[in-house]
Amino acid sequence: MNDKMTFHRIADSIAAATGGTAEEAATFLRALLDKSAETLARGEKVNISGIGTFAPGETSEEAVLWAPDRSLADAVNEPFAAFEAVPLANGITEQQLSQPVAPAGLSVPAAVTELPSAEVVEASVDNLSEPSDVVVPADEVASSDAQVAETIPEPIVAEMESSPSDDSAECSGGDEALGHTEPSAVSDDAGRSIEKPVSPLMEPSESVVESVVEPSEPKVIYRNVNDGPNPWIMLLVGVVVGLCMGYFLGMNFGYLRSSISHDTVEDEIELLEEEEANVQEQINSFDASGDNMVSDEAEEIAAPVAETAETEVVPQTQKAESPKVITDTVDKKNYLTTMARKYYGNHCFWVYIYEENAAILKNPDLIRPGTVVVIPPAEKYGIDASDPESVRRATAKIAELEHRFKGKR
Amino acid sequence: MDTETLVASLSAELRRDPRDVNALVEGFVSAIRDALVDGDTVLLPGFGTFSTVKEEEKVVDDLAGGGRLLLPPAITVTFTPSTLLRRKIVDRP
């Protein structure tokens, strides 16, 4: 289809048709063309049966007048051979012919007429979908359409199957039967009119088109992009809202955390202050128990305690019932000796602190910084810095410890 | 010059039997017809070009009947002579 047949391809086709060689066919084809051209150049016609007649012309634009052979023209026009020229009735315009055709299942009977006024023919679907070979009496058609001024001309499809002469005869006969109206049905011998379908090429009138119910076809509905909010704007709004919510939640959460941590720190500070006060109180009590360890500060502290002894009877009894354990932490500046001097008044009493915490201290010469030790009360080991005997016992214990851990460093 | 004359002339020129030449002519006609039926264009150098044209349906005035006629679509064959052939014909004495 739409291919180009060159000289050699034609020669090959001739060779295939005749059973000869391609060279013989090419030689023959060249001779045929040259002979035809020479004949035309002499002013003579060339008639090749099956191809057509070539006649020399007078002008350069019409140098060759060619009339195709009937058989060739019919063979080429075979796809449209079933169609013939049909006469058009009055009132049919080319615009109406170019309108889209009605579906095959909704053929409009030719009896449907158009009204002269703007009235719309209310043709039912059942009437429109009647088969084409339905026979309707001519009287019925004439009576039902009393206001009809002009009928639709005969269908083209029906006309194409009949000769033009027959068409004219039918038209004239229809004029006689229906007066000034052009007939839409052919009368048979029984006086009945046979309706014929209207060709798809002809749309009778707009009123008929309005009454035809289009068959239900799947409709594809495309969403208009311009309808509704822009998705990008919606995305941007969502991001902004999310950021705002995250910001407020973060602020509230941070506030709660800061308030909680602040409260916790305050509680810890209060607890430490309370412990410090208890330790100081115990120290004062230790100092007060010794005769030589009474200092001015202890007196100053003890004085207000004595003054408030009566008012704080209940708290003191509660403290006596549950004495608090004094602890201290070993670090690079706070050794056991430092603690002994701090709590007992003499560094040699560190041995009692060691004995109290022997389970966790092990070697007294290898105490890790950060170790928390319990400071035993002085009464437990008879610690008295002013007593030389107490100091001597402590010194003896130190010598014993040194002997025990000698060489274990 | 009709087909018989053409065949006789070609037979004399090619020194071949007229029946063979007639068969070749028929093969030529068949090849041209088949190509045009398929919608192909036939190019014959030094002679011309055969091609097909589809004409749409149209409404024409019926001069004989006095009305109008709706002509159906049709496929027609056209021939365009080559420049060499056109020059030979126009420049003929």
Side-chain angles (χ1 to χ4, degrees), chain A residues 282-317:
Chain A
Q282 289 183 359
I283 292 173
N284 293 335
S285 63
F286 294 154
D287 295 339
S289 61
D291 298 337
N292 298 329
M293 295 299 295
V294 178
S295 62
D296 296 337
E297 294 178 357
E299 289 178 354
E300 292 176 357
I301 296 172
V305 171
E307 292 175 356
T308 60
E310 296 179 356
T311 60
E312 297 179 355
V313 172
V314 175
Q316 285 181 354
T317 55

Side-chain angles (χ1 to χ4, degrees), chain A residues 84-87 154 159-173, chain B residues 62 65 69:
Chain A
E84 292 183 359
V86 293
E154 293 187 6
E159 294 289 339
M160 293 176 62
E161 297 177 354
S162 59
S163 62
S165 59
D166 295 336
D167 295 339
S168 60
E170 290 177 357
C171 290
S172 61
Chain B
D62 185 9
L69 290 175

Side-chain angles (χ1 to χ4, degrees), chain A residues 199-262:
Chain A
S199 171
L201 298 175
M202 299 178 61
E203 290 294 330
S205 63
E206 295 181 357
S207 60
V208 176
V209 174
E210 291 175 356
S211 61
V212 173
V213 178
E214 295 293 338
S216 60
E217 296 179 354
K219 295 181 179 179
V220 180
I221 301 174
Y222 295 96
R223 181 180 179 183
N224 190 357
V225 179
N226 297 326
D227 293 344
N230 191 336
W232 292 105
I233 295 177
M234 295 300 293
L235 178 62
L236 181 61
V237 170
V239 170
V240 171
V241 171
L243 290 175
C244 292
M245 292 180 64
Y247 174 75
F248 286 113
L249 289 176
M251 290 296 293
N252 295 331
F253 183 67
Y255 173 74
L256 293 174
R257 284 191 61 184
S258 61
S259 61
I260 291 172
S261 60
H262 182 67

Side-chain angles (χ1 to χ4, degrees), chain A residues 3 5 45 60 86 92, chain B residues 1 38 41 43 68 70 86:
Chain A
D3 197 2
M5 296 290 287
K45 295 182 179 179
S60 177
V86 293
I92 300 300
Chain B
M1 181 180 287
D38 292 339
T41 300
L43 305 174
R68 294 183 303 165
L70 174 63
R86 186 182 296 115

Side-chain angles (χ1 to χ4, degrees), chain B residues 58-89:
Chain B
K58 56 186 176 182
V59 177
V60 297
D61 293 333
D62 185 9
L63 300 178
R68 294 183 303 165
L69 290 175
L70 174 63
L71 299 181
I75 300 175
T76 58
V77 184
T78 61
F79 172 75
T80 303
S82 66
T83 304
L84 181 61
L85 178 60
R86 186 182 296 115
R87 188 175 302 164
K88 286 181 179 178
I89 294 174

